[in-house]
Every structure is written in C-alpha cells, then in structure tokens.
Amino acid sequence: MIRLANIELVVATLAASLSAVGVFHASGFPRTSAYLPTAVLSVMTLLLVLWAFQAFLKLRRNQSEVLNIGKLSARRFLSLTFGSATLIALAPVLGFITSFIIFIPFVSFILGYRRWKPLLIAGIVFSVLVYLIFRILLERPLPPELFNQFF
C-alpha cells in the first residue's frame, strides 16, 4: 500500500528541484526578460518546498492516508496526461490561442463538466487572456496561428 504523502513528497521534491533549476536558468536572462520567469519560478519553488515539508510532516506523524485509485480516476489521469502531451505537441503547429480554445473545454469535459456553452466561453476567455498577457503586457510574440496562414 502506497501512502499519499509518499507520492506528494517525491513529486514536490522533484518539482521543486526542477523549479529551482528554472530560477537559476532564468536569472541569466537579460534584466527585463528575467523578471517574470524568475518571480514566478521563485514563488513556485517556495510553494513546492512547503508542500514537500507538509508531506514530510504527515509521514513523520503517520497521518497520511493510503492511496486508493479507482478506475475512473485512473482514466481521467491518463486522459489528462494524453491531452496535455497533445497540447504541447500541437501548440506550435496550431498556435497557442487555437490550442487553448480546444484544450480548456476538453480538460473540463474530462473532469466532468458537461455544459458546452460555459466550457467554450472559458476556453475563449483564457485564450484572450494569454494573448493580452503576451502580446500587450509583455510585448512578446506568440507563435503564428495555423488559421492565419489561410488569410
């Protein structure tokens, strides 16, 4: 039997290590480019270290519950993993905006939301936010969208 805190400790420690490497790497960027990734990755590293510490305390106090994975949870996890890998692979081809318009409703549907109108609105709103953050706020270009090639 695997305890949930064991998995949390390993995942949080590995993710915190990778995040710390990201902080170190981003700190070598030019000053204006380094601020946002360094800040985000630093906060992420801190939160992951806190998560690992919390999991360690649960293990030490023997307060961790046994992990019980049902078929539905396993199916959702595999679907989300496959969907995320597909998003990463297709985003450079389709473009980030198009990919998120597809991905957000897909993930929400897998998680059990069945009302399509709010799902599509959420995908569009998230895509608009990505556009505004990168193009307007950060003044960074996004990869070209596939549908732009037809116009």
Side-chain angles (χ1 to χ4, degrees), residues 113-127:
Y113 298 103
R114 297 294 184 251
R115 295 174 48 208
W116 279 102
K117 189 175 181 180
L119 293 180
L120 291 175
I121 291 171
I124 291 168
V125 167
F126 188 80
S127 297

PDB file of all heavy atoms in Angstrom, residues 113-127:
ATOM      1  N   TYR A 113     -17.419  18.316 -16.349  1.00  0.00           N
ATOM      2  CA  TYR A 113     -18.328  19.407 -16.704  1.00  0.00           C
ATOM      3  C   TYR A 113     -18.953  19.088 -18.059  1.00  0.00           C
ATOM      4  O   TYR A 113     -18.260  18.746 -19.004  1.00  0.00           O
ATOM      5  CB  TYR A 113     -17.584  20.739 -16.778  1.00  0.00           C
ATOM      6  CG  TYR A 113     -16.971  21.129 -15.456  1.00  0.00           C
ATOM      7  CD1 TYR A 113     -15.617  20.974 -15.239  1.00  0.00           C
ATOM      8  CD2 TYR A 113     -17.758  21.637 -14.436  1.00  0.00           C
ATOM      9  CE1 TYR A 113     -15.050  21.319 -14.019  1.00  0.00           C
ATOM     10  CE2 TYR A 113     -17.209  21.982 -13.223  1.00  0.00           C
ATOM     11  CZ  TYR A 113     -15.852  21.821 -13.020  1.00  0.00           C
ATOM     12  OH  TYR A 113     -15.299  22.154 -11.827  1.00  0.00           O
ATOM     13  N   ARG A 114     -20.281  19.202 -18.142  1.00  0.00           N
ATOM     14  CA  ARG A 114     -20.958  18.793 -19.366  1.00  0.00           C
ATOM     15  C   ARG A 114     -21.685  19.910 -20.097  1.00  0.00           C
ATOM     16  O   ARG A 114     -22.272  19.691 -21.140  1.00  0.00           O
ATOM     17  CB  ARG A 114     -21.966  17.676 -19.049  1.00  0.00           C
ATOM     18  CG  ARG A 114     -21.324  16.415 -18.514  1.00  0.00           C
ATOM     19  CD  ARG A 114     -20.447  15.778 -19.585  1.00  0.00           C
ATOM     20  NE  ARG A 114     -19.894  14.509 -19.148  1.00  0.00           N
ATOM     21  CZ  ARG A 114     -18.616  14.320 -18.851  1.00  0.00           C
ATOM     22  NH1 ARG A 114     -17.765  15.315 -18.936  1.00  0.00           N
ATOM     23  NH2 ARG A 114     -18.191  13.141 -18.487  1.00  0.00           N
ATOM     24  N   ARG A 115     -21.679  21.112 -19.566  1.00  0.00           N
ATOM     25  CA  ARG A 115     -22.360  22.225 -20.224  1.00  0.00           C
ATOM     26  C   ARG A 115     -21.376  22.871 -21.194  1.00  0.00           C
ATOM     27  O   ARG A 115     -20.417  23.519 -20.793  1.00  0.00           O
ATOM     28  CB  ARG A 115     -22.868  23.204 -19.175  1.00  0.00           C
ATOM     29  CG  ARG A 115     -23.945  22.570 -18.302  1.00  0.00           C
ATOM     30  CD  ARG A 115     -24.393  23.422 -17.145  1.00  0.00           C
ATOM     31  NE  ARG A 115     -24.683  24.785 -17.548  1.00  0.00           N
ATOM     32  CZ  ARG A 115     -24.559  25.809 -16.723  1.00  0.00           C
ATOM     33  NH1 ARG A 115     -24.174  25.624 -15.486  1.00  0.00           N
ATOM     34  NH2 ARG A 115     -24.833  27.036 -17.143  1.00  0.00           N
ATOM     35  N   TRP A 116     -21.627  22.715 -22.495  1.00  0.00           N
ATOM     36  CA  TRP A 116     -20.670  23.137 -23.526  1.00  0.00           C
ATOM     37  C   TRP A 116     -20.508  24.649 -23.646  1.00  0.00           C
ATOM     38  O   TRP A 116     -19.425  25.134 -23.920  1.00  0.00           O
ATOM     39  CB  TRP A 116     -21.069  22.550 -24.883  1.00  0.00           C
ATOM     40  CG  TRP A 116     -20.612  21.140 -24.979  1.00  0.00           C
ATOM     41  CD1 TRP A 116     -21.367  20.006 -24.829  1.00  0.00           C
ATOM     42  CD2 TRP A 116     -19.274  20.700 -25.188  1.00  0.00           C
ATOM     43  NE1 TRP A 116     -20.588  18.901 -24.935  1.00  0.00           N
ATOM     44  CE2 TRP A 116     -19.284  19.295 -25.165  1.00  0.00           C
ATOM     45  CE3 TRP A 116     -18.058  21.343 -25.392  1.00  0.00           C
ATOM     46  CZ2 TRP A 116     -18.147  18.532 -25.341  1.00  0.00           C
ATOM     47  CZ3 TRP A 116     -16.918  20.582 -25.562  1.00  0.00           C
ATOM     48  CH2 TRP A 116     -16.966  19.200 -25.538  1.00  0.00           C
ATOM     49  N   LYS A 117     -21.586  25.384 -23.456  1.00  0.00           N
ATOM     50  CA  LYS A 117     -21.502  26.835 -23.620  1.00  0.00           C
ATOM     51  C   LYS A 117     -20.496  27.457 -22.640  1.00  0.00           C
ATOM     52  O   LYS A 117     -19.594  28.180 -23.071  1.00  0.00           O
ATOM     53  CB  LYS A 117     -22.885  27.462 -23.480  1.00  0.00           C
ATOM     54  CG  LYS A 117     -22.926  28.929 -23.836  1.00  0.00           C
ATOM     55  CD  LYS A 117     -24.358  29.450 -23.782  1.00  0.00           C
ATOM     56  CE  LYS A 117     -24.405  30.911 -24.163  1.00  0.00           C
ATOM     57  NZ  LYS A 117     -25.772  31.439 -24.126  1.00  0.00           N
ATOM     58  N   PRO A 118     -20.590  27.182 -21.325  1.00  0.00           N
ATOM     59  CA  PRO A 118     -19.582  27.736 -20.412  1.00  0.00           C
ATOM     60  C   PRO A 118     -18.165  27.207 -20.690  1.00  0.00           C
ATOM     61  O   PRO A 118     -17.185  27.938 -20.501  1.00  0.00           O
ATOM     62  CB  PRO A 118     -20.054  27.297 -19.023  1.00  0.00           C
ATOM     63  CG  PRO A 118     -21.494  26.983 -19.174  1.00  0.00           C
ATOM     64  CD  PRO A 118     -21.673  26.537 -20.596  1.00  0.00           C
ATOM     65  N   LEU A 119     -18.070  25.975 -21.158  1.00  0.00           N
ATOM     66  CA  LEU A 119     -16.744  25.418 -21.467  1.00  0.00           C
ATOM     67  C   LEU A 119     -16.088  26.169 -22.620  1.00  0.00           C
ATOM     68  O   LEU A 119     -14.900  26.503 -22.571  1.00  0.00           O
ATOM     69  CB  LEU A 119     -16.848  23.930 -21.815  1.00  0.00           C
ATOM     70  CG  LEU A 119     -17.266  22.994 -20.689  1.00  0.00           C
ATOM     71  CD1 LEU A 119     -17.322  21.557 -21.193  1.00  0.00           C
ATOM     72  CD2 LEU A 119     -16.325  23.111 -19.509  1.00  0.00           C
ATOM     73  N   LEU A 120     -16.866  26.442 -23.665  1.00  0.00           N
ATOM     74  CA  LEU A 120     -16.321  27.181 -24.802  1.00  0.00           C
ATOM     75  C   LEU A 120     -15.993  28.620 -24.421  1.00  0.00           C
ATOM     76  O   LEU A 120     -14.961  29.164 -24.840  1.00  0.00           O
ATOM     77  CB  LEU A 120     -17.299  27.136 -25.972  1.00  0.00           C
ATOM     78  CG  LEU A 120     -17.462  25.772 -26.637  1.00  0.00           C
ATOM     79  CD1 LEU A 120     -18.559  25.820 -27.697  1.00  0.00           C
ATOM     80  CD2 LEU A 120     -16.157  25.311 -27.243  1.00  0.00           C
ATOM     81  N   ILE A 121     -16.847  29.226 -23.609  1.00  0.00           N
ATOM     82  CA  ILE A 121     -16.577  30.592 -23.156  1.00  0.00           C
ATOM     83  C   ILE A 121     -15.292  30.626 -22.333  1.00  0.00           C
ATOM     84  O   ILE A 121     -14.457  31.524 -22.495  1.00  0.00           O
ATOM     85  CB  ILE A 121     -17.783  31.152 -22.363  1.00  0.00           C
ATOM     86  CG1 ILE A 121     -18.973  31.374 -23.310  1.00  0.00           C
ATOM     87  CG2 ILE A 121     -17.419  32.433 -21.627  1.00  0.00           C
ATOM     88  CD1 ILE A 121     -20.278  31.704 -22.612  1.00  0.00           C
ATOM     89  N   ALA A 122     -15.114  29.643 -21.459  1.00  0.00           N
ATOM     90  CA  ALA A 122     -13.890  29.591 -20.639  1.00  0.00           C
ATOM     91  C   ALA A 122     -12.656  29.449 -21.520  1.00  0.00           C
ATOM     92  O   ALA A 122     -11.631  30.102 -21.282  1.00  0.00           O
ATOM     93  CB  ALA A 122     -13.978  28.428 -19.657  1.00  0.00           C
ATOM     94  N   GLY A 123     -12.732  28.604 -22.558  1.00  0.00           N
ATOM     95  CA  GLY A 123     -11.606  28.451 -23.479  1.00  0.00           C
ATOM     96  C   GLY A 123     -11.281  29.741 -24.210  1.00  0.00           C
ATOM     97  O   GLY A 123     -10.116  30.118 -24.354  1.00  0.00           O
ATOM     98  N   ILE A 124     -12.310  30.436 -24.643  1.00  0.00           N
ATOM     99  CA  ILE A 124     -12.107  31.700 -25.361  1.00  0.00           C
ATOM    100  C   ILE A 124     -11.550  32.769 -24.420  1.00  0.00           C
ATOM    101  O   ILE A 124     -10.601  33.476 -24.767  1.00  0.00           O
ATOM    102  CB  ILE A 124     -13.421  32.152 -26.031  1.00  0.00           C
ATOM    103  CG1 ILE A 124     -13.768  31.200 -27.171  1.00  0.00           C
ATOM    104  CG2 ILE A 124     -13.318  33.589 -26.524  1.00  0.00           C
ATOM    105  CD1 ILE A 124     -15.170  31.347 -27.728  1.00  0.00           C
ATOM    106  N   VAL A 125     -12.115  32.883 -23.212  1.00  0.00           N
ATOM    107  CA  VAL A 125     -11.634  33.878 -22.252  1.00  0.00           C
ATOM    108  C   VAL A 125     -10.181  33.617 -21.885  1.00  0.00           C
ATOM    109  O   VAL A 125      -9.353  34.542 -21.850  1.00  0.00           O
ATOM    110  CB  VAL A 125     -12.538  33.903 -20.988  1.00  0.00           C
ATOM    111  CG1 VAL A 125     -11.888  34.681 -19.851  1.00  0.00           C
ATOM    112  CG2 VAL A 125     -13.893  34.467 -21.324  1.00  0.00           C
ATOM    113  N   PHE A 126      -9.837  32.358 -21.623  1.00  0.00           N
ATOM    114  CA  PHE A 126      -8.450  32.021 -21.293  1.00  0.00           C
ATOM    115  C   PHE A 126      -7.519  32.357 -22.450  1.00  0.00           C
ATOM    116  O   PHE A 126      -6.429  32.892 -22.250  1.00  0.00           O
ATOM    117  CB  PHE A 126      -8.333  30.542 -20.922  1.00  0.00           C
ATOM    118  CG  PHE A 126      -6.982  30.183 -20.401  1.00  0.00           C
ATOM    119  CD1 PHE A 126      -6.643  30.449 -19.089  1.00  0.00           C
ATOM    120  CD2 PHE A 126      -6.043  29.579 -21.229  1.00  0.00           C
ATOM    121  CE1 PHE A 126      -5.381  30.119 -18.598  1.00  0.00           C
ATOM    122  CE2 PHE A 126      -4.792  29.253 -20.755  1.00  0.00           C
ATOM    123  CZ  PHE A 126      -4.457  29.524 -19.431  1.00  0.00           C
ATOM    124  N   SER A 127      -7.938  32.053 -23.658  1.00  0.00           N
ATOM    125  CA  SER A 127      -7.121  32.358 -24.838  1.00  0.00           C
ATOM    126  C   SER A 127      -6.912  33.853 -25.003  1.00  0.00           C
ATOM    127  O   SER A 127      -5.818  34.306 -25.340  1.00  0.00           O
ATOM    128  CB  SER A 127      -7.768  31.777 -26.093  1.00  0.00           C
ATOM    129  OG  SER A 127      -7.827  30.377 -25.996  1.00  0.00           O
TER     130      SER A 127
END
